[in-house]
Amino acid sequence: MSLQKIVLEQFVKTYHQPTLREISSLTGIQITRVFRLMNGMTMKLDEYEIFRNLLDKNSDEFESSLQKLLHFGHYLPKGLSDDLKSLTERKLRLLNYNTANFDPKVLS
Amino acid sequence: MKHGLLLIERVIIESLARGPKTIHTIIQDTGLGSSLVTNVLAFMLYKNFIRFNGQSYYIDKETLEDLCNGVESSQSLKKEIKELFDSLVNVFFNTNNKLESTQLKVKKFWLGSGDELVLRSHLRNLEDFFVQLDKRPKVGQERHCLGEKRVFCWGLSDYKTLINECVKI
């Protein structure tokens, strides 16, 4: 799979199936150009970087939240840690159901 | 299951509880995507929640009773209601795809004792209406898709109680 296809697929998943207008507003790329890119036209390097940077930014924000959580570590109250554990397990189960290479043994 | 059933797992069990079904019928009944249904069924087979006779998926009577006990436990119901509420709020606030069939209203108000009686009587009427709906003859009802069911939520509490619950960690 080409790098362009991978980055676009990741982008669509990360931003929950955005519309062409939303992608255009997030990336600053004209909507007609977005339409062409989504339909397989080859991306310019600067366009690839815009998509990549938005994905990295989202990943950084998530890591930052994760770091804050790890900072509290074992001091999380039981109620909160139980809620987070349950929510994480359930969301991961849903994520696993949505992946093409689903493996039932991975789920708890 | 340790962390309770997901809504998608629950709806597939509800569908199979109405009788054995092929994968195609489950997809039609629930309105879920085919790859999702395939994966959930694979997981449920792996966990021995359901069986497959080469053509249809089904649930044993004993397994169904065990599942129903688990599914209707208060913790499981709590998770289901939370998941339904989350979905309702997300669907309602999804500005790209406003659905006419989805409504969500939350009101905060002061209530005198007389008005409280009126409100409780309205709630009681609503409950009676739903009981009557359940009692209506089920002619052709079995053919209706599970995914076509409507979901209605209602509740009443004190603002203070809800705020204090929010503060708890």
Side-chain angles (χ1 to χ4, degrees):
Chain A
M1 199 189 287
S2 70
L3 274 176
Q4 169 175 337
K5 208 172 170 188
I6 293 171
V7 86
L8 284 180
E9 276 187 9
Q10 281 178 344
F11 188 85
V12 168
K13 265 188 193 171
T14 309
Y15 287 88
H16 306 292
Q17 321 285 338
T19 58
L20 293 177
R21 194 175 298 281
E22 283 171 329
I23 300 176
S24 169
S25 134
L26 280 164
T27 57
I29 301 171
Q30 281 195 339
I31 193 162
T32 46
R33 179 71 185 155
V34 172
F35 174 78
R36 287 182 187 145
L37 294 176
M38 299 308 277
N39 283 287
M41 183 169 264
T42 313
M43 236 179 221
K44 291 179 195 160
L45 182 62
D46 61 338
E47 288 167 339
Y48 176 82
E49 280 178 340
I50 292 172
F51 281 101
R52 190 72 263 169
N53 286 341
L54 281 168
L55 282 173
D56 289 346
K57 188 182 158 214
N58 182 64
S59 163
D60 287 348
E61 281 170 1
F62 177 68
E63 272 183 35
S64 159
S65 302
L66 214 55
Q67 286 299 330
K68 282 179 204 159
L69 191 63
L70 289 171
H71 173 73
F72 284 102
H74 300 295
Y75 306 108
L76 281 179
K78 191 170 179 328
L80 179 59
S81 64
D82 284 350
D83 276 356
L84 288 172
K85 213 164 34 186
S86 178
L87 184 71
T88 313
E89 288 287 341
R90 289 167 68 85
K91 289 286 176 191
L92 287 177
R93 200 151 91 218
L94 199 55
L95 184 69
N96 199 0
Y97 280 141
N98 277 298
T99 52
N101 48 354
F102 166 77
D103 180 3
K105 289 170 201 152
V106 177
L107 301 178
S108 58
Chain B
M1 221 173 308
K2 199 179 166 192
H3 297 286
L5 285 175
L6 299 179
L7 214 48
I8 48 168
E9 295 160 344
R10 180 184 278 263
V11 75
I12 288 176
I13 287 176
E14 278 177 32
S15 178
L16 291 177
R18 304 204 298 170
K21 284 185 178 64
T22 63
I23 187 161
H24 182 65
T25 334
I26 298 171
I27 291 166
Q28 276 187 331
D29 194 30
T30 58
L32 291 170
S34 60
S35 59
L36 197 60
V37 172
T38 310
N39 289 347
V40 175
L41 287 172
F43 177 61
M44 289 188 167
L45 273 176
Y46 173 74
K47 283 278 185 184
N48 283 326
F49 287 161
I50 59 172
R51 306 232 180 277
F52 182 59
N53 61 14
Q55 195 183 3
S56 304
Y57 292 88
Y58 63 98
I59 309 181
D60 285 337
K61 204 180 166 193
E62 283 175 19
T63 321
L64 184 61
E65 276 172 20
D66 289 347
L67 274 173
C68 284
N69 289 336
V71 162
E72 280 160 21
S73 70
S74 64
Q75 279 305 312
S76 185
L77 280 176
K78 184 177 158 187
K79 280 178 180 148
E80 184 199 3
I81 293 169
K82 277 188 175 182
E83 218 168 352
L84 280 172
F85 253 104
D86 259 6
S87 291
L88 180 65
V89 173
N90 289 341
V91 171
F92 184 76
F93 286 100
N94 184 355
T95 47
N96 297 321
N97 189 18
K98 275 269 178 215
L99 293 174
E100 288 286 318
S101 58
T102 304
Q103 293 186 31
L104 179 65
K105 281 181 186 162
V106 176
K107 295 267 180 208
K108 296 171 204 160
F109 43 82
W110 282 281
L111 202 61
S113 54
D115 290 332
E116 175 145 15
L117 278 176
V118 175
L119 178 64
R120 288 198 183 274
S121 129
H122 281 310
L123 291 177
R124 184 75 216 168
N125 284 341
L126 259 179
E127 277 187 54
D128 289 346
F129 172 67
F130 292 128
V131 171
Q132 277 170 17
L133 277 184
D134 272 345
K135 280 183 186 164
R136 292 235 172 110
K138 300 272 191 289
V139 183
Q141 191 91 1
E142 286 299 303
R143 286 191 206 145
H144 287 185
C145 294
L146 208 51
E148 301 285 320
K149 275 188 172 180
R150 308 293 293 269
V151 178
F152 184 84
C153 321
W154 74 105
L156 178 67
S157 187
D158 302 319
Y159 199 20
K160 188 173 64 182
T161 312
L162 297 181
I163 294 167
N164 283 326
E165 181 58 31
C166 263
V167 174
K168 284 184 199 165
I169 300 178

